C-alpha cells in the first residue's frame, strides 16, 4: 500500500510550474446505442482525468460500460456526446490509426497469419520506422516480455500466457502515450493471472507509460492501480486511490462491490463533538465522524468487517456499540468470520484474526457486543 | 477392435471413391488404348500413340479451354470478392438471405439458365434490341457466338462456387483483429491489404479450384452461347463420345485433360503455397 501511495505522489503535479498536461481526459462522454429500436445508454456521462504515467483502472461489474469507455478512448466508438482529449488535444473525431494510444484486446486479436516477430513489428512498419530500428526495438521488446527466441512462432503455436505477452509487446513497442488494456488477464487461470499482474506492474514501471486497465476483478484493481474509477450502470461512482476506495467507499454500490462491507442505516439522533450519533435498538449507537449531519437526517453507514471488534463486555464510551446475536461462525484459517444479527434484522459480518489462539471468542447463538471506532464508519449519502 | 475403428470409419467413403472414381478411371484408361469401332467391337492393343494423335489434332481447343477457364476465373474473383466481402461485413442480420440469393440460380437447371442467356443476348433480344434502336451499337453487332458470350456464361454459371468459399474465409476473420490493425496505425486500406486480404486468400484459392476446373472442362456454355470458333475441349470429348462413338479418342482426351489439370493444380498449389503468400503479405 505504501508503495502505491508513493506512486500517486510521483504523478501528482510538481510544486512549481504549470500543472502537467493529463494523458487522457474524458469530458461528459456519453455513448448511446440503438438496440431493437430503443436507445440504450452504455455510458451515461463520464468525466475523468488520467495523469501521465499513471496506472489507472476502470473497475465495475460486467455490462457497466467499461469496454465502451475504453473503446471511445481508442477511437473505435464515437461518443454520442462529450469530448475525448489525449495530451490536451481534442481527438473526439480522430480515427484510431491516428491516435497515439494502443490497445491490448481481451481476446488478444493477434494476427494469425504472422509470426510473433511480424506481429510485434506491425505498428512500427505502418509508421515507416527504419528497418534497423524496427529490428532493434522489436528485439528489445520481446526480451522485456520474456519471449526472446520465439520470434518465428505463430500465435496458434503459443499458450494463452505467451499470446498475452505478444499482445502486450505488439502494443508497447510503439511507445504509445497510453496503453489501454481490456480485461487482459481475463482468459488466464488464477495462478498465471497473478504472475501476470506482477509482470504487468513491472513492465509498466520499466516503460513508464500510462496504463488504462479495464477489469471486473476488484482485487486485481486494488493491487495494481494508482487510481481506480469504480463504474456502475454507465457512470463513475467513485474515483480514488485503492486505499481510499477500500476504506472510504463513496456509495453503497462501491461498498458492496469492493470486498465485504456492512451497511447500517438509521436516523441521526444527535451530533456530539462533530460525531453523528445514530440510535440502534434500545442501547445501540453508531458514531460517524465525517459529514455535516443534523439530528433527524436519515443516513447509511458502512464499516469493514475487519474493523469491527466482537466482545461479551459492553464496549468503552467513544466507540460505536451495538448488540447482536451470533448467527454463524466460519473458521477461515487466517481469521474467523462471524455473522451477527442486529435487533433490526440487519446482519453484520465481522472478521477476527486468529492471532493468539484459535479458539473463537463467541459461539453460535451467543449474545455479543460489536464495537468500532468512529473513524471507521463511513457515511454514504442518505 | 479399437485399432480397426479408423479403417472402418473411412470404409464408406473409401468404397464410394473406389466404385465411382477408381473403377471408371481404370476402365477409361483401358478404353483409351483400345482400337476398333462400335459395330465390330474394341480390342485392347495398348495403342499409346492415340495420346499424341488427339493432342496434336485438338491442341487448339485444349489451349482455348485453358484460356477461357483462366479468364473466367479471374473475372469471377473480381466479381465475387466484393460481393462476398459485402455480405460478410455489411450483411448484418440478413446474411443468410443474401447467401440464398447467391444460390438461387442453382434452383434452375444449368442448361435452362444457359439457354435463358441465349435469349437475353440474342441479336434482337432483351439486351441488344434497345441498344440498337437507340443507335448505341451498330445494327450488325452481336454477342452470341463470341468468346465474350462463352466466358460470360461460364462466369455466370460458376460464380457461386467462387463467392461461397471467399465468403466463408471472410466470415471467419475476427473483427477485433481488423480493429487491432487500425489500432496499430493501419489506415482502412492497409488493414484490408495487410490483414483481411491475406486471411481470406485460402478462400480465394479454394474458389479458384472449384471454378477453374469445371469451367475448363465445360461444354454447355460453348455449345449454347458460342460459335464454331469457340469450341472447347469438352465439346470435342462430348461429340467424339456421343456423336462419333469414337470411345478411345474421347477417353484419351479426357485423360489428357485430367492429367493437365492435375499438373496445373499441383503447380498452382506449389507456387502459391499459402505460407509464402501470407509471409509476403505480412511485410
Ligand atoms: N454495439 C452495441 N450495441 C448495443 N449495445 C451495446 C453495444 N456495445 C455495448 N452495448 C451495451 O452497453 C453496455 C455496456 O457494455 P460494455 O461497455 O461492453 O460493458 P463492460 O465492458 O463493462 O462489460 C451493455 O449493456 C451492452 O449490452
Ligand atoms: Mg468489457
Amino acid at each position: 500500500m505504501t508503495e502505491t501511495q508513493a506512486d500517486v505522489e510521483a504523478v501528482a503535479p510538481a510544486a512549481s510550474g504549470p500543472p502537467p498536461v493529463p494523458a487522457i481526459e474524458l469530458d461528459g462522454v456519453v455513448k448511446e446505442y440503438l438496440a431493437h429500436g430503443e436507445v440504450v445508454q452504455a455510458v451515461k456521462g463520464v468525466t475523468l482525468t488520467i495523469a501521465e504515467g499513471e496506472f489507472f483502472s476502470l473497475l465495475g461489474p460486467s455490462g457497466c460500460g467499461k469496454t465502451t469507455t475504453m473503446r471511445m478512448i481508442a477511437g473505435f466508438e464515437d461518443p454520442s456526446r462529450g469530448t475525448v482529449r489525449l495530451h490536451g488535444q481534442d481527438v473526439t473525431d480522430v480515427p484510431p490509426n491516428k491516435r497515439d494510444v494502443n490497445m491490448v484486446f481481451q481476446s488478444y486479436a493477434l494476427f494469425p497469419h504472422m509470426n510473433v516477430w511480424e506481429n510485434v513489428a506491425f505498428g512500427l512498419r505502418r509508421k515507416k520506422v527504419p528497418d534497423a530500428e524496427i529490428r532493434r526495438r522489436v528485439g528489445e521488446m520481446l526480451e522485456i516480455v520474456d519471449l526472446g527466441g520465439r520470434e518465428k512462432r505463430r500465435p496458434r503455436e503459443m499458450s494463452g500466457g505467451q499470446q498475452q505477452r505478444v499482445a502486450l509487446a505488439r502494443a508497447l513497442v510503439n511507445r504509445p502515450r497510453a496503453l489501454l488494456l481490456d480485461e487482459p488477464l481475463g482468459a488466464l487461470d488464477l495462478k498465471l493471472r497473478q504472475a501476470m499482474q506482477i509482470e504487468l506492474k513491472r513492465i509498466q514501471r520499466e516503460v513508464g507509460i500510462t496504463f488504462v486497465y479495464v477489469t471486473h476483478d476488484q482485487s486485481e484493481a486494488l493491487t495494481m492501480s494508482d487510481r481506480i474509477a469504480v463504474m456502475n450502470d454507465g457512470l463513475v461512482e467513485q474515483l480514488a486511490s485503492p486505499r481510499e476506495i477500500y476504506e472510504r467507499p463513496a456509495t453503497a454500490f462501491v461498498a458492496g462491490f469492493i470486498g465485504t462491507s456492512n451497511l447500517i442505516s438509521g436516523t441521526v439522533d444527535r451530533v456530539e463533538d462533530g460525531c453523528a450519533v445514530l440510535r440502534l435498538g434500545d442501547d445501540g449507537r453508531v458514531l460517524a465522524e465525517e459529514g455535516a449531519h443534523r439530528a433527524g437526517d436519515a443516513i447509511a453507514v458502512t464499516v469493514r468487517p475487519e474493523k469491527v471488534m466482537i466482545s461479551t463486555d459492553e464496549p468503552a464510551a467513544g466507540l460505536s456499540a451495538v448488540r447482536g446475536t451470533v448467527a454463524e461462525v466460519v473458521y477461515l484459517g487466517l481469521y474467523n468470520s462471524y455473522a451477527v444479527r442486529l435487533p433490526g434484522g440487519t446482519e453484520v459480518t465481522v472478521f477476527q484474526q486468529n492471532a493468539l489462539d484459535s479458539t473463537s471468542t463467541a459461539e453460535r447463538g451467543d449474545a455479543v457486543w460489536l464495537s468500532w471506532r468512529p473513524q471507521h464508519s463511513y457515511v454514504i449519502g442518505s | 477392435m479399437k485399432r480397426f475403428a479408423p479403417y472402418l470409419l473411412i470404409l464408406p467413403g473409401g468404397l464410394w471413391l473406389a466404385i465411382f472414381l477408381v473403377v471408371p478411371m481404370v476402365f477409361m484408361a483401358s478404353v483409351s488404348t483400345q482400337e476398333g469401332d462400335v459395330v465390330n467391337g474394341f480390342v485392347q492393343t495398348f495403342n499409346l500413340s492415340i495420346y499424341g494423335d488427339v493432342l496434336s489434332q485438338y491442341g487448339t481447343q485444349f489451349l482455348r479451354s485453358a484460356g477461357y477457364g483462366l479468364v473466367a476465373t479471374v473475372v469471377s474473383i473480381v466479381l465475387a470478392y466484393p460481393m462476398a466481402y459485402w455480405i460478410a461485413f455489411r450483411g448484418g442480420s440478413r446474411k443468410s438471405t443474401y447467401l440464398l440469393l447467391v444460390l438461387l440460380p442453382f434452383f434452375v437447371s444449368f442448361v435452362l439458365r444457359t439457354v435463358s442467356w441465349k435469349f437475353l443476348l440474342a441479336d434482337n433480344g432483351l439486351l441488344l434490341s434497345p441498344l440498337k434502336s437507340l443507335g448505341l451499337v451498330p445494327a450488325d453487332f452481336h454477342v452470341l457466338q463470341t468468346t465474350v458470350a462463352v466466358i460470360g456464361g461460364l462466369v455466370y454459371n460458376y460464380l457461386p462456387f467462387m463467392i461461397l468459399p471467399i465468403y466463408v474465409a471472410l466470415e471467419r476473420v475476427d473483427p477485433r483483429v481488423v480493429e487491432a490493425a487500425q489500432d496499430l496505425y493501419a489506415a482502412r486500406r492497409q488493414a484490408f491489404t495487410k490483414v483481411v486480404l491475406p486471411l481470406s486468400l485460402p478462400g480465394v484459392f479454394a474458389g479458384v479450384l472449384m471454378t477453374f476446373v469445371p469451367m475448363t472442362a465445360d461444354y454447355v456454355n460453348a455449345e449454347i452461347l458460342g460459335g464454331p470458333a469457340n469450341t472447347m475441349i469438352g465439346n470435342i470429348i462430348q461429340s467424339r463420345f456421343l456423336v462419333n462413338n469414337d470411345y478411345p479418342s474421347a477417353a484419351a482426351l479426357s485423360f489428357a485433360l485430367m492429367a493437365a489439370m492435375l499438373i496445373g493444380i499441383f503447380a498452382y498449389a506449389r507456387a502459391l503455397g499459402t505460407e509464402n503468400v501470407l509471409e509476403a503479405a505480412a511485410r
Side-chain angles (χ1 to χ4, degrees), chain B residues 155-225:
Chain B
V155 169
Y156 166 71
N157 276 314
Y158 293 97
L159 194 61
F161 291 116
M162 186 64 91
I163 296 179
L164 290 180
I166 298 180
Y167 167 81
V168 170
L170 285 171
E171 169 71 16
R172 252 188 276 162
V173 175
D174 179 2
R176 296 282 179 240
V177 169
V178 184
E179 284 185 349
Q182 290 175 345
D183 186 62
L184 295 163
Y185 319 110
R188 274 177 190 286
R189 250 188 71 173
Q190 286 177 313
F192 175 76
T193 56
K194 299 293 171 193
V195 176
V196 179
L197 184 62
L199 287 178
S200 66
L201 281 185
V204 179
F205 295 164
V208 167
L209 284 185
M210 286 172 68
T211 54
F212 178 77
V213 173
M215 286 202 265
T216 303
D218 185 85
Y219 69 93
V220 176
N221 285 279
E223 177 79 33
I224 298 177
L225 302 173

Side-chain angles (χ1 to χ4, degrees), chain A residues 72-95:
Chain A
M72 287 191 285
I73 299 174
F76 294 121
E77 307 284 353
D78 293 328
S80 309
R81 285 189 288 285
T83 316
V84 179
R85 274 190 296 274
L86 298 177
H87 299 91
Q89 256 189 332
D90 185 342
V91 296
T92 315
D93 299 317
V94 175

Side-chain angles (χ1 to χ4, degrees), chain A residues 283-285 287 308-324 367-373:
Chain A
D283 46 7
R285 59 174 187 266
L287 311 184
V308 181
M309 293 163 285
I310 194 163
S311 62
T312 40
D313 311 324
E314 179 160 1
L319 297 177
S320 296
V322 290
R323 247 192 226 281
V368 290
W369 281 95
L370 300 181
S371 60
W372 63 93
R373 292 162 197 261

Side-chain angles (χ1 to χ4, degrees), chain A residues 28-309:
Chain A
V29 166
V30 173
K31 180 66 194 183
E32 291 170 345
Y33 288 111
L34 206 61
H36 310 293
E38 260 179 74
V39 175
V40 180
Q41 283 201 332
V43 175
K44 300 183 176 170
V46 167
T47 300
L48 51 83
T49 301
I50 301 172
E52 191 71 59
E54 197 172 13
F55 197 119
F56 188 94
S57 288
L58 289 170
L59 171 66
S62 176
C64 71
K66 308 177 298 287
T67 297
T68 308
T69 304
M70 172 162 281
R71 288 171 61 81
M72 287 191 285
I73 299 174
F76 294 121
E77 307 284 353
D78 293 328
S80 309
R81 285 189 288 285
T83 316
V84 179
R85 274 190 296 274
L86 298 177
H87 299 91
Q89 256 189 332
D90 185 342
V91 296
T92 315
D93 299 317
V94 175
N97 56 315
K98 302 238 169 69
R99 292 192 191 192
D100 208 0
V101 295
N102 287 119
M103 188 147 166
V104 175
F105 292 80
Q106 174 162 14
S107 55
Y108 315 140
L110 298 176
F111 304 123
H113 57 303
M114 298 181 195
N115 64 28
V116 168
W117 198 92
E118 290 160 344
N119 262 282
V120 177
F122 189 91
L124 297 176
R125 277 175 164 164
R126 301 289 84 74
K127 285 209 282 194
K128 304 258 184 305
V129 173
D131 270 358
E133 192 185 335
I134 293 181
R135 272 195 296 279
R136 185 177 57 75
R137 277 167 67 173
V138 172
E140 277 173 15
M141 189 44 71
L142 287 176
E143 288 303 324
I144 290 182
V145 298
D146 203 18
L147 283 176
R150 292 203 169 76
E151 293 83 355
K152 292 272 176 265
R153 295 270 187 96
R154 285 288 168 90
R156 62 166 180 274
E157 298 162 354
M158 310 190 84
S159 70
Q162 289 172 328
Q163 291 186 23
Q164 163 66 56
R165 281 179 287 166
V166 178
L168 197 63
R170 184 179 70 170
L172 277 176
V173 76
N174 306 292
R175 299 188 190 138
R177 303 287 291 266
L179 188 72
L180 313 174
L181 304 100
D182 189 0
E183 311 219 7
L185 309 182
L188 306 180
D189 61 55
L190 182 66
K191 218 168 160 175
L192 194 55
R193 192 157 70 226
Q194 286 170 340
M196 280 303 292
Q197 287 173 4
I198 297 167
E199 187 77 356
L200 270 178
K201 197 66 190 154
R202 171 186 71 78
I203 291 169
Q204 196 246 350
R205 264 196 298 269
E206 216 163 295
V207 294
I209 290 174
T210 310
F211 272 36
V212 183
Y213 194 92
V214 162
T215 181
H216 66 262
D217 179 340
Q218 43 120 352
S219 72
E220 196 166 286
L222 290 174
T223 47
M224 296 172 82
S225 320
D226 295 323
R227 284 194 307 152
I228 300 173
V230 183
M231 288 186 71
N232 181 33
D233 198 18
L235 288 169
V236 173
E237 295 248 345
Q238 186 173 11
L239 199 169
S241 69
R243 175 182 286 257
E244 175 116 1
I245 291 219
Y246 184 79
E247 306 228 331
R248 306 174 70 89
T251 65
F253 172 81
V254 177
F257 189 71
I258 311 282
T260 313
S261 196
N262 297 303
L263 192 66
I264 302 165
S265 45
T267 311
V268 178
D269 185 61
R270 60 188 191 280
V271 179
E272 245 174 39
D273 310 328
C275 260
V277 182
L278 272 71
R279 282 253 139 254
L280 225 69
D282 297 336
D283 46 7
R285 59 174 187 266
V286 174
L287 311 184
E289 247 178 8
E290 53 162 349
H293 294 286
R294 280 182 319 227
D297 286 355
I299 59 172
V301 162
T302 68
V303 58
R304 291 287 174 193
E306 66 273 21
K307 306 289 188 197
V308 181
M309 293 163 285

Side-chain angles (χ1 to χ4, degrees), chain B residues 225-246:
Chain B
L225 302 173
N230 306 116
T231 315
M232 292 172 73
I233 197 66
N235 301 90
I236 303 289
I237 295 174
Q238 189 244 0
S239 66
R240 287 282 100 196
F241 220 105
L242 297 180
V243 183
N244 303 47
N245 292 331
D246 180 2

